[in-house]
Amino acid sequence: MKQLIGLDLGTSGVKALLIDTGGKVLKTHTEEYPLYQPEQGWSEQDPDEWWDAVVRSLKEILSANEANPEEVKGLSLSGQMHGSVFLDGTGGVIRNPILWNDTRTTDQCREIEETVGEEKLLELVGNPALEGFTAPKVLWLREEEPENYEKLETLLLPKDYIVYRLTGRLVTEKSDAAGTILYDVQNQEWSDEVITELGIDKDVLPEVLDSVDVVKELKPELAKELDLSTDLKVIAGGADNACSAVGNGIVEEGLFLASIGS
């Protein structure tokens, strides 16, 4: 029977799951990684530590007695929302990502409200300007670390960085794009109006896929390292709250989910 891998890139660790297409859970594994708080209210992580945890988790679940690497046909991800992974022109990480629970961007949120307008922002991107979202982090980088902003070539969300490391392709998908407050949810495209108003270079924003789209096959060298098939498909995946809603059956109009937590 064919097998599938799920990865959830959380704030405290990555959770990995190997299942068969009948829904039987064959193996689960969790790898933790640290949170860095260099100043009060700041929250950052090291993407290399994400990646190392992902690789260790993949190796662990593939060591299960029932694992059959040649039958693993797909891998998809969910992940912590809103974090900013800043990449340079070589695909290298410029600085540690600023996470969803970082509160340094209060001034930038007020700047967005004044520049775009609170009502206009809701109309264009469906969200208010809150510290957790991604756009304020971009403005913070421009204002507080201009030398790093000058290097910025691509902005990714956390799970999308893992997709990039798995496939070599720089993309995001609609559920995570919606949490940047740079994405027009109604028209399903980056909001030219908000991007222009904020003076952000649209070229740093990646292509937006559907959550169920195939990004690409697993990198050949990684497939060899993990003893996986080179035709394993990596799927775009989704933001963790969006995936949680689907997992709870919120898949049609008229249903809602109350998530009471962090």
Side-chain angles (χ1 to χ4, degrees), residues 66-241:
E66 295 177 85
N68 185 350
E70 279 299 314
E71 289 300 313
V72 178
K73 300 302 181 183
L75 182 157
S76 191
L77 302 92
S78 63
Q80 52 172 294
M81 299 174 68
H82 312 307
S84 55
V85 185
F86 302 114
L87 302 183
D88 63 21
T90 69
V93 176
I94 297 170
R95 69 164 338 270
N96 279 350
I98 305 170
L99 303 189
W100 63 271
N101 55 353
D102 186 291
T103 59
R104 78 185 72 179
T105 58
T106 299
D107 289 345
Q108 286 74 32
C109 289
R110 301 296 81 77
E111 179 183 342
I112 291 171
E113 290 173 349
E114 292 168 7
T115 302
V116 181
E118 293 182 59
E119 292 301 319
K120 190 68 171 177
L121 196 65
L122 287 171
E123 177 187 331
L124 293 172
V125 298
N127 280 301
L130 300 176
E131 287 85 352
F133 292 133
T134 315
K137 299 170 172 60
V138 179
L139 300 192
W140 183 92
L141 187 74
R142 184 172 68 193
E143 294 165 12
E144 301 296 331
E145 297 181 356
E147 70 285 358
N148 283 332
Y149 186 79
E150 284 298 315
K151 301 173 188 174
L152 179 61
E153 291 288 334
T154 306
L155 174 68
L156 293 181
L157 283 294
K159 72 154 189 352
D160 303 322
Y161 177 73
I162 300 303
V163 169
Y164 167 61
R165 294 290 296 264
L166 291 167
T167 67
R169 189 175 175 195
L170 297 163
V171 297
T172 188
E173 48 67 48
K174 292 175 182 177
S175 64
D176 251 342
T180 63
I181 61 171
L182 297 170
Y183 188 71
D184 181 341
V185 179
Q186 292 295 323
N187 294 305
Q188 299 190 21
E189 61 187 9
W190 294 116
S191 173
D192 286 331
E193 188 167 347
V194 172
I195 292 164
T196 300
E197 289 278 358
L198 298 181
I200 294 172
D201 182 358
K202 189 178 180 181
D203 288 342
V204 307
L205 301 174
E207 180 183 359
V208 182
L209 304 180
D210 281 321
S211 295
V212 297
D213 283 348
V214 174
V215 177
K216 199 175 181 181
E217 288 77 21
L218 194 64
K219 283 183 177 179
E221 62 270 26
L222 188 58
K224 182 177 180 181
E225 178 184 350
L226 297 172
D227 193 29
L228 287 166
S229 170
T230 54
D231 65 358
L232 186 155
K233 304 293 191 295
V234 177
I235 312 302
D240 56 4
N241 272 343

